Amino acid sequence: MSQAIRTMFERIAPTYDVLNRTLSLGVDKLWRRQAVATLGDLSGKRVLDLCAGTMDLTAVACARYPTARVVAADFAREMLLGGLASGKLSSPTVSVLPIQADALSLPFLGGTFDAALCAFGVRNLDNPEGGLLELHRVLAPGGKLVVLEFFRPTGTVRKLLHNIYNRHVVPAIGGIVSGSPGAYRYLAESMEGFLSRAEFEQSGRRCGFVVDEARDLFPHAASLVVLRKDAAPC
């Protein structure tokens, strides 16, 4: 990712959690619980939370499976520090290793993880397919990857609603709360310029994954895609 995008995320880190709750009306908590539940029992498993941000998804995984060994990786150090300072990972039984890392060049050996999660991060990568290839590499054979994302909407009505919300509501509220309207204009534009869910599924297949599940989540804003490492990338 570019230095400019890293700097942007580090700038909005202090208000990131508040804005997630505000912009989604709290529904993002439900989305994260659904993402973790889709992976099945993670007890004792090695789990990667990629593009972990302030570690909301890490916290959900650890609360549900306290013996999971989670690595929370993100390229923005201030986001990880914000998650640590929040107290959401305060339980002494939780095993979490936060690491500042580039999603396109992960510092892990092949087959390191039994499962991986990535929430609202793939669309921010300079090369989303390159990120999928790295995730494929670090997953053990048969390992699952759950991607929670705002894919580009399809269908006239859905496109219209997304455009109104992304172009007007997100930058306005984001700018007021964070003091950085430009950052939230970027986030809105990144949704409109990203892959559709069907295109992302095809990208996953090219990278050697099988699509186990793909569905839109209430209220049809975010989507969940479950990929399983099956073969060598094309």
Side-chain angles (χ1 to χ4, degrees), residues 23 67 122 136 159 182 198:
L23 291 171
T67 61
V122 176
H136 185 278
K159 279 183 183 178

Side-chain angles (χ1 to χ4, degrees), residues 72-93:
D74 197 276
F75 77 142
R77 180 172 177 269
E78 292 302 318
M79 295 287 277
L80 295 171
L81 290 176
L84 290 171
S86 70
K88 64 183 73 170
L89 298 167
S90 58
S91 171
T93 63

Side-chain angles (χ1 to χ4, degrees), residues 34-52:
Q34 290 175 311
V36 170
T38 303
L39 280 173
D41 191 352
L42 297 176
S43 299
K45 298 290 182 66
R46 304 161 300 168
V47 182
L48 173 64
D49 181 7
L50 186 62
C51 304

Side-chain angles (χ1 to χ4, degrees), residues 25-186:
L25 301 179
V27 180
D28 65 301
K29 291 184 176 181
L30 172 62
W31 294 337
R32 287 181 171 86
R33 289 197 297 270
Q34 290 175 311
V36 170
T38 303
L39 280 173
D41 191 352
L42 297 176
S43 299
K45 298 290 182 66
R46 304 161 300 168
V47 182
L48 173 64
D49 181 7
L50 186 62
C51 304
T54 57
M55 296 189 281
D56 271 350
L57 198 56
T58 295
V60 173
C62 290
R64 188 178 177 103
Y65 302 107
T67 61
R69 293 168 288 164
V70 184
V71 172
D74 197 276
F75 77 142
R77 180 172 177 269
E78 292 302 318
M79 295 287 277
L80 295 171
L81 290 176
L84 290 171
S86 70
K88 64 183 73 170
L89 298 167
S90 58
S91 171
T93 63
V94 167
S95 175
V96 175
L97 176 63
I99 292 179
Q100 184 177 8
D102 185 343
L104 300 179
S105 182
L106 294 171
F108 311 116
L109 296 175
T112 295
F113 298 99
D114 302 301
L117 298 144
C118 186
F120 310 116
V122 176
R123 76 178 187 280
N124 294 315
L125 302 181
D126 290 337
N127 180 0
E129 197 156 299
L132 283 176
L133 286 169
E134 271 293 88
L135 283 161
H136 185 278
R137 180 183 68 80
V138 302
L139 277 172
K144 286 188 177 182
L145 162 64
V146 173
V147 174
L148 183 60
E149 191 53 271
F150 295 119
F151 297 107
R152 190 183 76 250
T154 55
T156 304
V157 174
R158 196 171 175 192
K159 279 183 183 178
L160 178 62
L161 293 175
H162 274 246
N163 286 344
I164 292 171
Y165 188 75
N166 290 340
R167 292 180 183 178
H168 302 287
V169 178
V170 171
I173 295 177
I176 291 169
V177 176
S178 71
S180 183
Y184 283 86
R185 277 195 296 271
Y186 160 76

